[in-house]
Amino acid sequence: MKKLNYLDYKEAVEKSLKNVKVTQKVEYIPLEKSIGRILSKDISCRKNMPAFNNSAMDGFAFKSSDAGKKIEVINVIYAGDNSTIQIENGECCKIMTGAMIPLGADTIIPVEDTVSFDEKFMQLPESVRKGNHFRVKGEEYKEGTSIFQQGEVVDSAKVAILASQGITMVEVFVKPNIAVLSTGNELKEPWENADEYQIYNSNSYAIISMLQEHHFDASYIGVVPDNLEDSIEFIKNLKSYDVVITTGGISMGDADFVAEAFLTNGLEILFHGVNVKPGRPTMMGIMDNTYVMAMPGNPLTALINTYLLSLPIIYKSSGASSYYHDFVYAKNTKSFKVKAKRANVVLGNLNNGEFNVTLNNKYGSGMLAPLTQSNCVMITLDNKDFVDENEMIKVIPFGLGLNEFSSDIYN
């Protein structure tokens, strides 16, 4: 392998997303199984929301021109009644929440806001607001108007609206087929015995779990052999996957054969190395129809880079219209140093609008504990060597979500 050719962090993000091939495969799934799935077509309103004029409160339906009068209660309307009642001046109907508003009425008054009432009459106050508590047919969505667009991710709120339309099956993009693997003869699986000179394989478990948090499934393929010939044969069998994520084996060590093995199998490298701390030995490329994401072997770096770099690629390839990490502004509570002439990914905690850097930004890329002690990251660019106290910075909270537009997340 040649010496790593580092890209700037922003350039690496842009190049990796530019080369994504978006899936065209779709499937129909039950609505109750659709959480986290990506819509493959626009959805229009089938049934007006609400379907008819209805009351937002338990109260009385009347004409606003009768304000200040004592008017006759001519009927009671319950939710579910198919009412054809029409009221005239001086008349009202007692009405329940969600019930169909009688013809001629233009306002609802809650029971507690009336001056007085009994079974026959209701006294209105002098001042009433026309249209109060009156839910108009189609005020949310009218038949034929757009509700959701292709590329949106289904959540519980969308499920509620889809169910309100009588939709039980949803057309979504097929999930990508993802393989996760690790490298290194020093690795042992958690169910095996590890000697003192060996380590347990945490990277693959963590990456698969991260993908599951975002409703993607992945298969654990195993550990790539630490010799070139066996690595080539191992990787040859990965071309049936849409995405391959591997950790380790792509830096400059004598036993780092993974990059060479991918090249032998036809990998076209997009970049091999990113000018960022931590995470320089990161490689992206395309092998036939498989998007290869080779992360560093150190656990902290592998997980951060998978979160920041791989997730947007996977979302875009899955048909999502939003795949850029979103951010919030926060005030930095304590000054700390960062490495100049490279981008820096800095862990921290976001609480009440304030960013607290993790361990004063002094932790190793081989650690795991800093991840459990953090709920967000910030990214500085290569022109910065210090983050000042009380400085307003951009922070990416874990789990915040993704943005449809290319957002400037860098400090």
Side-chain angles (χ1 to χ4, degrees):
M1 284 296 296
K2 297 179 180 179
K3 184 178 180 181
L4 275 64
N5 182 21
Y6 297 114
L7 282 187
D8 289 336
Y9 191 83
K10 288 180 69 173
E11 187 180 355
V13 172
E14 292 166 0
K15 192 166 187 177
S16 62
L17 286 170
K18 182 181 178 180
N19 286 274
V20 171
K21 182 179 179 182
V22 179
T23 183
Q24 300 299 314
K25 298 177 182 178
V26 301
E27 63 180 338
Y28 281 90
I29 60 171
L31 180 60
E32 63 270 20
K33 302 290 186 181
S34 66
I35 291 293
R37 300 301 297 271
I38 299 167
L39 296 174
S40 57
K41 67 176 182 179
D42 297 347
I43 297 178
S44 298
C45 180
R46 300 178 178 180
K47 183 178 176 66
N48 287 311
M49 292 182 59
F52 50 86
N53 296 338
N54 71 89
S55 175
M57 298 288 288
D58 291 339
F60 296 87
F62 63 98
K63 293 177 180 287
S64 57
S65 57
D66 284 333
K69 297 178 182 177
K70 185 175 184 179
I71 56 179
E72 183 181 2
V73 179
I74 65 169
N75 216 319
V76 180
I77 306 174
Y78 295 93
D81 288 351
N82 185 16
S83 175
T84 58
I85 299 169
Q86 179 157 348
I87 65 168
E88 306 295 340
N89 291 333
E91 296 178 340
C92 69
C93 285
K94 192 172 186 181
I95 194 166
M96 306 304 159
T97 301
M100 184 179 291
I101 294 174
L103 298 173
D106 61 17
T107 306
I108 307 295
I109 187 170
V111 170
E112 59 270 24
D113 291 345
T114 62
V115 175
S116 63
F117 70 91
D118 56 30
E119 292 182 0
K120 295 183 177 181
F121 294 96
M122 185 266 293
Q123 175 68 52
L124 284 164
E126 291 291 338
S127 176
V128 295
R129 188 174 68 180
K130 183 178 180 179
N132 206 31
H133 304 300
F134 190 113
R135 294 172 177 160
V136 180
K137 177 181 178 178
E139 67 180 8
E140 281 191 86
Y141 296 107
K142 294 184 184 299
E143 286 184 15
T145 59
S146 176
I147 298 178
F148 303 123
Q149 285 74 50
Q150 174 184 316
E152 292 191 56
V153 179
V154 179
D155 56 20
S156 57
K158 289 184 177 68
V159 167
I161 292 178
L162 293 170
S164 77
Q165 295 292 296
I167 294 173
T168 59
M169 299 292 290
V170 186
E171 184 184 298
V172 296
F173 287 112
V174 172
K175 290 183 181 182
N177 194 11
I178 304 174
V180 175
L181 47 138
S182 294
T183 66
N185 286 338
E186 76 279 12
L187 293 179
K188 288 292 184 180
E189 302 298 352
W191 60 85
E192 297 178 314
N193 291 323
D195 291 327
E196 187 174 352
Y197 64 92
Q198 297 171 318
I199 60 175
Y200 286 116
N201 178 13
S202 62
N203 287 353
S204 294
Y205 284 87
I207 289 172
I208 290 171
S209 297
M210 181 189 297
L211 295 172
Q212 288 174 342
E213 288 174 340
H214 290 264
H215 305 282
F216 294 112
D217 301 319
S219 301
Y220 176 55
I221 305 301
V223 178
V224 181
D226 252 354
N227 69 77
L228 181 57
E229 184 177 341
D230 290 343
S231 295
I232 292 171
E233 186 64 26
F234 186 96
I235 289 167
K236 184 196 306 183
N237 298 316
L238 301 177
K239 294 184 179 182
S240 61
Y241 291 92
D242 300 309
V243 175
V244 170
I245 303 176
T246 181
T247 58
I250 60 161
S251 58
M252 299 303 293
D254 291 339
D256 290 336
F257 301 110
V258 176
E260 187 70 38
F262 273 113
L263 283 173
T264 304
N265 279 285
L267 179 72
E268 294 184 14
I269 294 179
L270 299 175
F271 57 84
H272 189 184
V274 182
N275 192 24
V276 63
K277 179 184 183 302
R280 277 196 171 194
T282 299
M283 183 181 73
M284 297 279 186
I286 312 293
M287 182 176 65
D288 292 351
N289 294 313
T290 303
Y291 204 118
V292 177
M293 308 172 186
M295 300 292 110
N298 283 317
L300 183 143
T301 312
L303 299 184
I304 289 178
N305 275 19
T306 301
Y307 184 83
L308 293 177
L309 295 174
S310 298
L311 275 178
I313 297 169
I314 294 171
Y315 268 103
K316 184 177 180 182
S317 71
S318 303
S321 55
S322 297
Y323 45 83
Y324 293 100
H325 284 291
D326 212 344
F327 68 90
V328 297
Y329 284 98
K331 183 172 73 173
N332 181 45
T333 61
K334 182 181 179 182
S335 62
F336 58 90
K337 293 181 179 180
V338 293
K339 290 285 187 180
K341 298 182 180 180
R342 69 182 69 172
N344 291 261
V345 176
V346 181
L347 290 169
N349 270 280
L350 178 66
N351 293 295
N352 297 321
E354 294 184 335
F355 178 82
N356 301 283
V357 64
T358 299
L359 301 175
N360 204 33
N361 200 30
K362 296 178 180 178
Y363 46 80
S365 59
M367 295 180 175
L368 283 172
L371 287 170
T372 68
Q373 299 163 10
S374 308
N375 65 10
C376 64
V377 295
M378 64 168 290
I379 303 171
T380 69
L381 294 182
D382 57 8
N383 58 355
K384 197 176 185 75
D385 60 5
F386 207 79
V387 180
D388 292 320
E389 182 179 356
N390 295 325
E391 179 180 346
M392 293 301 294
I393 59 174
K394 297 169 186 175
V395 173
I396 306 170
F398 296 139
L400 176 63
L402 300 167
N403 196 317
E404 183 176 353
F405 306 100
S406 178
S407 56
D408 186 4
I409 60 175
Y410 311 101
N411 292 277

